[in-house]
mmCIF file of all heavy atoms in Angstrom:
data_model
loop_
_atom_site.group_PDB
_atom_site.id
_atom_site.type_symbol
_atom_site.label_atom_id
_atom_site.label_comp_id
_atom_site.label_asym_id
_atom_site.label_seq_id
_atom_site.Cartn_x
_atom_site.Cartn_y
_atom_site.Cartn_z
ATOM 1 N N PHE A 1 88.477 12.351 138.839
ATOM 2 C CA PHE A 1 89.563 13.199 138.380
ATOM 3 C C PHE A 1 90.859 12.462 138.756
ATOM 4 O O PHE A 1 91.077 12.132 139.910
ATOM 5 C CB PHE A 1 89.464 14.520 139.078
ATOM 6 C CG PHE A 1 90.348 15.594 138.527
ATOM 7 C CD1 PHE A 1 89.873 16.312 137.298
ATOM 8 C CD2 PHE A 1 91.607 15.943 139.030
ATOM 9 C CE1 PHE A 1 90.685 17.244 136.762
ATOM 10 C CE2 PHE A 1 92.381 16.882 138.469
ATOM 11 C CZ PHE A 1 91.958 17.568 137.262
ATOM 12 N N PHE A 2 91.678 12.208 137.706
ATOM 13 C CA PHE A 2 92.902 11.427 137.823
ATOM 14 C C PHE A 2 94.096 12.350 137.695
ATOM 15 O O PHE A 2 94.199 13.060 136.643
ATOM 16 C CB PHE A 2 92.958 10.314 136.853
ATOM 17 C CG PHE A 2 91.765 9.443 136.799
ATOM 18 C CD1 PHE A 2 90.553 9.800 136.088
ATOM 19 C CD2 PHE A 2 91.714 8.234 137.436
ATOM 20 C CE1 PHE A 2 89.481 8.956 136.110
ATOM 21 C CE2 PHE A 2 90.588 7.379 137.442
ATOM 22 C CZ PHE A 2 89.457 7.783 136.667
ATOM 23 N N VAL A 3 95.052 12.349 138.567
ATOM 24 C CA VAL A 3 96.272 13.070 138.460
ATOM 25 C C VAL A 3 97.502 12.163 138.489
ATOM 26 O O VAL A 3 97.603 11.430 139.470
ATOM 27 C CB VAL A 3 96.383 14.191 139.611
ATOM 28 C CG1 VAL A 3 97.697 14.943 139.494
ATOM 29 C CG2 VAL A 3 95.257 15.158 139.563
ATOM 30 N N PHE A 4 98.277 12.350 137.476
ATOM 31 C CA PHE A 4 99.514 11.405 137.260
ATOM 32 C C PHE A 4 100.805 12.255 137.646
ATOM 33 O O PHE A 4 101.088 13.188 136.943
ATOM 34 C CB PHE A 4 99.593 11.004 135.824
ATOM 35 C CG PHE A 4 98.415 10.111 135.378
ATOM 36 C CD1 PHE A 4 97.147 10.651 135.159
ATOM 37 C CD2 PHE A 4 98.601 8.700 135.137
ATOM 38 C CE1 PHE A 4 96.057 9.876 134.779
ATOM 39 C CE2 PHE A 4 97.471 7.979 134.735
ATOM 40 C CZ PHE A 4 96.229 8.563 134.599
ATOM 41 N N ASN A 5 101.486 11.785 138.624
ATOM 42 C CA ASN A 5 102.673 12.399 139.061
ATOM 43 C C ASN A 5 102.564 13.914 139.282
ATOM 44 O O ASN A 5 103.501 14.662 138.993
ATOM 45 C CB ASN A 5 103.750 12.085 138.030
ATOM 46 C CG ASN A 5 104.436 10.684 138.340
ATOM 47 O OD1 ASN A 5 104.056 9.980 139.200
ATOM 48 N ND2 ASN A 5 105.432 10.426 137.576
ATOM 49 N N ASN A 6 101.425 14.386 139.670
ATOM 50 C CA ASN A 6 101.145 15.807 139.903
ATOM 51 C C ASN A 6 101.557 16.620 138.653
ATOM 52 O O ASN A 6 101.802 17.878 138.739
ATOM 53 C CB ASN A 6 101.990 16.293 141.059
ATOM 54 C CG ASN A 6 101.538 15.775 142.384
ATOM 55 O OD1 ASN A 6 100.354 15.723 142.630
ATOM 56 N ND2 ASN A 6 102.471 15.335 143.205
ATOM 57 N N LYS A 7 101.361 16.045 137.469
ATOM 58 C CA LYS A 7 101.757 16.768 136.276
ATOM 59 C C LYS A 7 100.677 16.610 135.166
ATOM 60 O O LYS A 7 100.404 17.605 134.517
ATOM 61 C CB LYS A 7 103.049 16.182 135.721
ATOM 62 C CG LYS A 7 103.623 16.971 134.601
ATOM 63 C CD LYS A 7 104.984 16.512 134.172
ATOM 64 C CE LYS A 7 105.548 17.270 132.983
ATOM 65 N NZ LYS A 7 106.905 16.841 132.590
ATOM 66 N N TYR A 8 100.089 15.538 135.005
ATOM 67 C CA TYR A 8 99.027 15.262 133.983
ATOM 68 C C TYR A 8 97.767 14.942 134.698
ATOM 69 O O TYR A 8 97.727 14.248 135.630
ATOM 70 C CB TYR A 8 99.431 14.183 133.031
ATOM 71 C CG TYR A 8 100.728 14.494 132.220
ATOM 72 C CD1 TYR A 8 101.953 14.051 132.704
ATOM 73 C CD2 TYR A 8 100.635 15.138 131.036
ATOM 74 C CE1 TYR A 8 103.142 14.256 132.006
ATOM 75 C CE2 TYR A 8 101.800 15.418 130.401
ATOM 76 C CZ TYR A 8 103.000 14.948 130.826
ATOM 77 O OH TYR A 8 104.185 15.245 130.101
ATOM 78 N N ALA A 9 96.631 15.335 134.097
ATOM 79 C CA ALA A 9 95.321 15.024 134.616
ATOM 80 C C ALA A 9 94.381 14.602 133.654
ATOM 81 O O ALA A 9 94.406 15.009 132.455
ATOM 82 C CB ALA A 9 94.770 16.259 135.419
ATOM 83 N N ILE A 10 93.460 13.615 134.050
ATOM 84 C CA ILE A 10 92.381 13.190 133.179
ATOM 85 C C ILE A 10 91.086 13.479 133.895
ATOM 86 O O ILE A 10 90.956 13.080 135.096
ATOM 87 C CB ILE A 10 92.491 11.720 132.862
ATOM 88 C CG1 ILE A 10 93.695 11.350 131.987
ATOM 89 C CG2 ILE A 10 91.185 11.172 132.240
ATOM 90 C CD1 ILE A 10 93.883 9.928 131.684
ATOM 91 N N SER A 11 90.167 14.177 133.304
ATOM 92 C CA SER A 11 88.932 14.541 133.930
ATOM 93 C C SER A 11 87.847 13.651 133.357
ATOM 94 O O SER A 11 87.631 13.628 132.101
ATOM 95 C CB SER A 11 88.533 16.022 133.683
ATOM 96 O OG SER A 11 87.371 16.346 134.318
ATOM 97 N N GLY A 12 87.142 12.938 134.180
ATOM 98 C CA GLY A 12 86.059 12.057 133.741
ATOM 99 C C GLY A 12 86.423 10.651 133.438
ATOM 100 O O GLY A 12 87.615 10.333 133.347
ATOM 101 N N ALA A 13 85.415 9.785 133.116
ATOM 102 C CA ALA A 13 85.713 8.453 132.824
ATOM 103 C C ALA A 13 86.037 8.286 131.245
ATOM 104 O O ALA A 13 85.217 7.817 130.495
ATOM 105 C CB ALA A 13 84.493 7.541 133.117
ATOM 106 N N GLN A 14 87.206 8.737 130.957
ATOM 107 C CA GLN A 14 87.560 8.766 129.521
ATOM 108 C C GLN A 14 87.796 7.333 128.960
ATOM 109 O O GLN A 14 88.020 6.373 129.755
ATOM 110 C CB GLN A 14 88.870 9.603 129.287
ATOM 111 C CG GLN A 14 88.763 11.030 129.808
ATOM 112 C CD GLN A 14 87.769 11.820 128.915
ATOM 113 O OE1 GLN A 14 87.673 11.461 127.719
ATOM 114 N NE2 GLN A 14 87.135 12.756 129.413
ATOM 115 N N PRO A 15 87.815 7.162 127.715
ATOM 116 C CA PRO A 15 88.104 5.764 127.087
ATOM 117 C C PRO A 15 89.448 5.284 127.503
ATOM 118 O O PRO A 15 90.416 6.084 127.718
ATOM 119 C CB PRO A 15 87.993 6.100 125.617
ATOM 120 C CG PRO A 15 87.103 7.291 125.469
ATOM 121 C CD PRO A 15 87.417 8.165 126.616
ATOM 122 N N GLY A 16 89.544 3.956 127.499
ATOM 123 C CA GLY A 16 90.791 3.347 127.860
ATOM 124 C C GLY A 16 92.069 3.871 127.171
ATOM 125 O O GLY A 16 93.059 3.994 127.879
ATOM 126 N N PRO A 17 92.029 4.078 125.833
ATOM 127 C CA PRO A 17 93.273 4.550 125.245
ATOM 128 C C PRO A 17 93.719 5.858 125.719
ATOM 129 O O PRO A 17 94.979 6.145 125.651
ATOM 130 C CB PRO A 17 92.758 4.695 123.724
ATOM 131 C CG PRO A 17 91.711 3.698 123.585
ATOM 132 C CD PRO A 17 90.946 3.713 124.903
ATOM 133 N N VAL A 18 92.867 6.697 126.315
ATOM 134 C CA VAL A 18 93.364 8.006 126.917
ATOM 135 C C VAL A 18 94.148 7.674 128.133
ATOM 136 O O VAL A 18 95.216 8.300 128.350
ATOM 137 C CB VAL A 18 92.113 8.857 127.269
ATOM 138 C CG1 VAL A 18 92.630 10.130 128.074
ATOM 139 C CG2 VAL A 18 91.314 9.202 126.044
ATOM 140 N N PHE A 19 93.786 6.728 128.961
ATOM 141 C CA PHE A 19 94.543 6.337 130.119
ATOM 142 C C PHE A 19 95.875 5.829 129.707
ATOM 143 O O PHE A 19 96.938 6.171 130.271
ATOM 144 C CB PHE A 19 93.761 5.408 130.993
ATOM 145 C CG PHE A 19 92.623 5.998 131.760
ATOM 146 C CD1 PHE A 19 91.324 5.812 131.303
ATOM 147 C CD2 PHE A 19 92.806 6.728 132.935
ATOM 148 C CE1 PHE A 19 90.325 6.384 131.989
ATOM 149 C CE2 PHE A 19 91.809 7.245 133.661
ATOM 150 C CZ PHE A 19 90.580 7.096 133.174
ATOM 151 N N SER A 20 95.862 4.923 128.689
ATOM 152 C CA SER A 20 97.095 4.286 128.204
ATOM 153 C C SER A 20 98.061 5.296 127.631
ATOM 154 O O SER A 20 99.308 5.191 127.908
ATOM 155 C CB SER A 20 96.703 3.228 127.066
ATOM 156 O OG SER A 20 95.947 2.143 127.599
ATOM 157 N N GLU A 21 97.551 6.274 126.959
ATOM 158 C CA GLU A 21 98.425 7.346 126.407
ATOM 159 C C GLU A 21 99.126 8.100 127.507
ATOM 160 O O GLU A 21 100.358 8.318 127.452
ATOM 161 C CB GLU A 21 97.606 8.304 125.489
ATOM 162 C CG GLU A 21 98.475 9.344 124.922
ATOM 163 C CD GLU A 21 97.642 10.331 124.034
ATOM 164 O OE1 GLU A 21 96.469 10.060 123.874
ATOM 165 O OE2 GLU A 21 98.226 11.362 123.585
ATOM 166 N N VAL A 22 98.424 8.459 128.525
ATOM 167 C CA VAL A 22 99.017 9.249 129.656
ATOM 168 C C VAL A 22 100.014 8.382 130.409
ATOM 169 O O VAL A 22 101.117 8.819 130.777
ATOM 170 C CB VAL A 22 97.939 9.799 130.577
ATOM 171 C CG1 VAL A 22 98.581 10.451 131.770
ATOM 172 C CG2 VAL A 22 97.002 10.810 129.842
ATOM 173 N N LEU A 23 99.635 7.130 130.637
ATOM 174 C CA LEU A 23 100.516 6.149 131.319
ATOM 175 C C LEU A 23 101.865 6.068 130.617
ATOM 176 O O LEU A 23 102.987 6.130 131.117
ATOM 177 C CB LEU A 23 99.847 4.805 131.443
ATOM 178 C CG LEU A 23 98.754 4.702 132.539
ATOM 179 C CD1 LEU A 23 98.098 3.349 132.325
ATOM 180 C CD2 LEU A 23 99.345 4.746 133.953
ATOM 181 N N ASP A 24 101.801 5.884 129.239
ATOM 182 C CA ASP A 24 102.951 5.746 128.412
ATOM 183 C C ASP A 24 103.783 7.051 128.429
ATOM 184 O O ASP A 24 105.092 6.991 128.490
ATOM 185 C CB ASP A 24 102.591 5.410 127.002
ATOM 186 C CG ASP A 24 102.073 4.031 126.856
ATOM 187 O OD1 ASP A 24 102.288 3.179 127.746
ATOM 188 O OD2 ASP A 24 101.350 3.733 125.854
ATOM 189 N N THR A 25 103.163 8.174 128.469
ATOM 190 C CA THR A 25 103.913 9.464 128.440
ATOM 191 C C THR A 25 104.614 9.671 129.769
ATOM 192 O O THR A 25 105.824 10.060 129.758
ATOM 193 C CB THR A 25 102.913 10.673 128.235
ATOM 194 O OG1 THR A 25 102.296 10.522 127.000
ATOM 195 C CG2 THR A 25 103.652 12.019 128.322
ATOM 196 N N VAL A 26 103.892 9.419 130.935
ATOM 197 C CA VAL A 26 104.591 9.595 132.169
ATOM 198 C C VAL A 26 105.654 8.530 132.324
ATOM 199 O O VAL A 26 106.775 8.876 132.880
ATOM 200 C CB VAL A 26 103.531 9.427 133.319
ATOM 201 C CG1 VAL A 26 104.194 9.525 134.659
ATOM 202 C CG2 VAL A 26 102.477 10.539 133.220
ATOM 203 N N TRP A 27 105.445 7.364 132.025
ATOM 204 C CA TRP A 27 106.486 6.320 132.048
ATOM 205 C C TRP A 27 107.773 6.728 131.233
ATOM 206 O O TRP A 27 108.921 6.567 131.750
ATOM 207 C CB TRP A 27 105.875 4.993 131.560
ATOM 208 C CG TRP A 27 106.825 3.802 131.604
ATOM 209 C CD1 TRP A 27 107.507 3.247 130.600
ATOM 210 C CD2 TRP A 27 107.271 3.138 132.786
ATOM 211 N NE1 TRP A 27 108.214 2.179 131.000
ATOM 212 C CE2 TRP A 27 108.156 2.135 132.356
ATOM 213 C CE3 TRP A 27 106.935 3.212 134.158
ATOM 214 C CZ2 TRP A 27 108.694 1.239 133.287
ATOM 215 C CZ3 TRP A 27 107.553 2.373 135.003
ATOM 216 C CH2 TRP A 27 108.421 1.390 134.553
ATOM 217 N N ALA A 28 107.575 7.175 130.041
ATOM 218 C CA ALA A 28 108.648 7.585 129.171
ATOM 219 C C ALA A 28 109.442 8.656 129.811
ATOM 220 O O ALA A 28 110.727 8.661 129.897
ATOM 221 C CB ALA A 28 108.280 8.002 127.808
ATOM 222 N N GLU A 29 108.750 9.628 130.494
ATOM 223 C CA GLU A 29 109.500 10.707 131.211
ATOM 224 C C GLU A 29 110.317 10.144 132.365
ATOM 225 O O GLU A 29 111.349 10.669 132.670
ATOM 226 C CB GLU A 29 108.497 11.738 131.591
ATOM 227 C CG GLU A 29 107.886 12.579 130.535
ATOM 228 C CD GLU A 29 106.987 13.639 131.010
ATOM 229 O OE1 GLU A 29 106.767 13.693 132.182
ATOM 230 O OE2 GLU A 29 106.447 14.412 130.230
ATOM 231 N N GLU A 30 109.705 9.193 133.065
ATOM 232 C CA GLU A 30 110.428 8.665 134.329
ATOM 233 C C GLU A 30 111.666 7.919 133.902
ATOM 234 O O GLU A 30 112.635 7.795 134.651
ATOM 235 C CB GLU A 30 109.417 7.704 134.992
ATOM 236 C CG GLU A 30 108.450 8.508 135.856
ATOM 237 C CD GLU A 30 107.600 7.610 136.774
ATOM 238 O OE1 GLU A 30 107.659 6.356 136.538
ATOM 239 O OE2 GLU A 30 107.083 8.094 137.705
ATOM 240 N N GLN A 31 111.632 7.314 132.628
ATOM 241 C CA GLN A 31 112.804 6.533 132.276
ATOM 242 C C GLN A 31 113.956 7.363 131.688
ATOM 243 O O GLN A 31 115.026 6.845 131.530
ATOM 244 C CB GLN A 31 112.376 5.505 131.214
ATOM 245 C CG GLN A 31 111.257 4.578 131.616
ATOM 246 C CD GLN A 31 111.458 3.988 132.958
ATOM 247 O OE1 GLN A 31 112.397 3.304 133.263
ATOM 248 N NE2 GLN A 31 110.537 4.222 133.930
ATOM 249 N N GLN A 32 113.690 8.621 131.375
ATOM 250 C CA GLN A 32 114.708 9.404 130.808
ATOM 251 C C GLN A 32 115.659 9.941 131.929
ATOM 252 O O GLN A 32 115.178 10.562 132.900
ATOM 253 C CB GLN A 32 114.116 10.618 130.116
ATOM 254 C CG GLN A 32 113.331 10.254 128.797
ATOM 255 C CD GLN A 32 112.657 11.469 128.185
ATOM 256 O OE1 GLN A 32 112.687 12.511 128.754
ATOM 257 N NE2 GLN A 32 112.025 11.245 127.106
ATOM 258 N N ALA A 33 116.925 9.712 131.769
ATOM 259 C CA ALA A 33 117.876 10.107 132.760
ATOM 260 C C ALA A 33 118.016 11.676 132.608
ATOM 261 O O ALA A 33 118.231 12.085 131.405
ATOM 262 C CB ALA A 33 119.196 9.465 132.615
ATOM 263 N N PRO A 34 117.953 12.440 133.594
ATOM 264 C CA PRO A 34 118.069 13.895 133.434
ATOM 265 C C PRO A 34 119.460 14.284 132.971
ATOM 266 O O PRO A 34 120.475 13.708 133.519
ATOM 267 C CB PRO A 34 117.750 14.461 134.842
ATOM 268 C CG PRO A 34 118.048 13.295 135.739
ATOM 269 C CD PRO A 34 117.716 12.097 135.014
ATOM 270 N N SER A 35 119.536 15.240 132.028
ATOM 271 C CA SER A 35 120.874 15.659 131.585
ATOM 272 C C SER A 35 121.475 16.485 132.714
ATOM 273 O O SER A 35 120.890 17.220 133.412
ATOM 274 C CB SER A 35 120.687 16.508 130.318
ATOM 275 O OG SER A 35 119.916 17.556 130.538
ATOM 276 N N LEU A 36 122.777 16.301 132.937
ATOM 277 C CA LEU A 36 123.491 17.080 133.949
ATOM 278 C C LEU A 36 124.105 18.351 133.438
ATOM 279 O O LEU A 36 124.818 18.419 132.474
ATOM 280 C CB LEU A 36 124.695 16.141 134.487
ATOM 281 C CG LEU A 36 125.408 16.637 135.684
ATOM 282 C CD1 LEU A 36 124.535 16.770 136.868
ATOM 283 C CD2 LEU A 36 126.627 15.779 135.941
ATOM 284 N N GLN A 37 123.639 19.404 134.090
ATOM 285 C CA GLN A 37 124.182 20.758 133.747
ATOM 286 C C GLN A 37 125.223 21.177 134.775
ATOM 287 O O GLN A 37 124.900 21.198 135.933
ATOM 288 C CB GLN A 37 122.972 21.710 133.735
ATOM 289 C CG GLN A 37 121.804 21.362 132.719
ATOM 290 C CD GLN A 37 122.328 21.421 131.290
ATOM 291 O OE1 GLN A 37 123.159 22.294 130.936
ATOM 292 N NE2 GLN A 37 121.830 20.529 130.483
ATOM 293 N N VAL A 38 126.386 21.324 134.332
ATOM 294 C CA VAL A 38 127.518 21.704 135.253
ATOM 295 C C VAL A 38 127.603 23.147 135.406
ATOM 296 O O VAL A 38 127.748 23.886 134.341
ATOM 297 C CB VAL A 38 128.827 21.161 134.791
ATOM 298 C CG1 VAL A 38 129.955 21.574 135.830
ATOM 299 C CG2 VAL A 38 128.767 19.608 134.671
ATOM 300 N N VAL A 39 127.497 23.795 136.578
ATOM 301 C CA VAL A 39 127.576 25.179 136.754
ATOM 302 C C VAL A 39 128.859 25.475 137.509
ATOM 303 O O VAL A 39 129.222 24.848 138.541
ATOM 304 C CB VAL A 39 126.412 25.691 137.607
ATOM 305 C CG1 VAL A 39 126.526 27.210 137.929
ATOM 306 C CG2 VAL A 39 125.065 25.396 136.892
ATOM 307 N N GLY A 40 129.718 26.408 137.114
ATOM 308 C CA GLY A 40 130.932 26.765 137.781
ATOM 309 C C GLY A 40 132.031 25.870 137.469
ATOM 310 O O GLY A 40 132.576 25.158 138.319
ATOM 311 N N GLN A 41 132.294 25.641 136.150
ATOM 312 C CA GLN A 41 133.382 24.734 135.713
ATOM 313 C C GLN A 41 134.732 25.153 136.384
ATOM 314 O O GLN A 41 135.142 26.321 136.168
ATOM 315 C CB GLN A 41 133.554 24.625 134.238
ATOM 316 C CG GLN A 41 134.561 23.627 133.758
ATOM 317 C CD GLN A 41 134.099 22.141 133.895
ATOM 318 O OE1 GLN A 41 132.858 21.963 133.889
ATOM 319 N NE2 GLN A 41 134.968 21.242 134.068
ATOM 320 N N PRO A 42 135.548 24.257 137.096
ATOM 321 C CA PRO A 42 136.745 24.722 137.782
ATOM 322 C C PRO A 42 137.779 25.043 136.722
ATOM 323 O O PRO A 42 137.752 24.552 135.561
ATOM 324 C CB PRO A 42 137.268 23.474 138.437
ATOM 325 C CG PRO A 42 135.952 22.637 138.625
ATOM 326 C CD PRO A 42 135.095 22.891 137.480
ATOM 327 N N LYS A 43 138.699 25.960 137.015
ATOM 328 C CA LYS A 43 139.776 26.340 136.094
ATOM 329 C C LYS A 43 140.822 25.320 136.040
ATOM 330 O O LYS A 43 141.009 24.497 136.955
ATOM 331 C CB LYS A 43 140.472 27.615 136.591
ATOM 332 C CG LYS A 43 139.492 28.864 136.697
ATOM 333 C CD LYS A 43 140.236 30.048 137.263
ATOM 334 C CE LYS A 43 139.339 31.278 137.309
ATOM 335 N NZ LYS A 43 139.979 32.485 137.965
ATOM 336 N N ALA A 44 141.500 25.212 134.931
ATOM 337 C CA ALA A 44 142.555 24.214 134.753
ATOM 338 C C ALA A 44 143.717 24.495 135.776
ATOM 339 O O ALA A 44 144.036 25.683 136.015
ATOM 340 C CB ALA A 44 143.065 24.158 133.330
ATOM 341 N N ASP A 45 144.327 23.414 136.307
ATOM 342 C CA ASP A 45 145.475 23.637 137.312
ATOM 343 C C ASP A 45 146.709 23.930 136.472
ATOM 344 O O ASP A 45 147.251 22.985 135.816
ATOM 345 C CB ASP A 45 145.542 22.326 138.133
ATOM 346 C CG ASP A 45 146.755 22.409 138.992
ATOM 347 O OD1 ASP A 45 147.190 23.563 139.352
ATOM 348 O OD2 ASP A 45 147.234 21.371 139.483
ATOM 349 N N THR A 46 147.114 25.074 136.454
ATOM 350 C CA THR A 46 148.310 25.521 135.743
ATOM 351 C C THR A 46 149.665 25.317 136.554
ATOM 352 O O THR A 46 150.666 25.466 136.086
ATOM 353 C CB THR A 46 148.227 27.049 135.294
ATOM 354 O OG1 THR A 46 148.000 27.838 136.390
ATOM 355 C CG2 THR A 46 146.957 27.134 134.327
ATOM 356 N N ALA A 47 149.468 25.048 137.858
ATOM 357 C CA ALA A 47 150.555 24.969 138.724
ATOM 358 C C ALA A 47 151.221 23.565 138.749
ATOM 359 O O ALA A 47 152.209 23.411 139.236
ATOM 360 C CB ALA A 47 150.280 25.414 140.120
#
């Protein structure tokens, strides 16, 4: 039983392409920079 980054799992001795597909998926997710969500935007300085 194989668990990738505590997110994806492969059960059993699956064919090689199954492992490659999961590796590519996890790798692509790791390379994506998370988008920054700004909470509480400051008010403009009117003074």
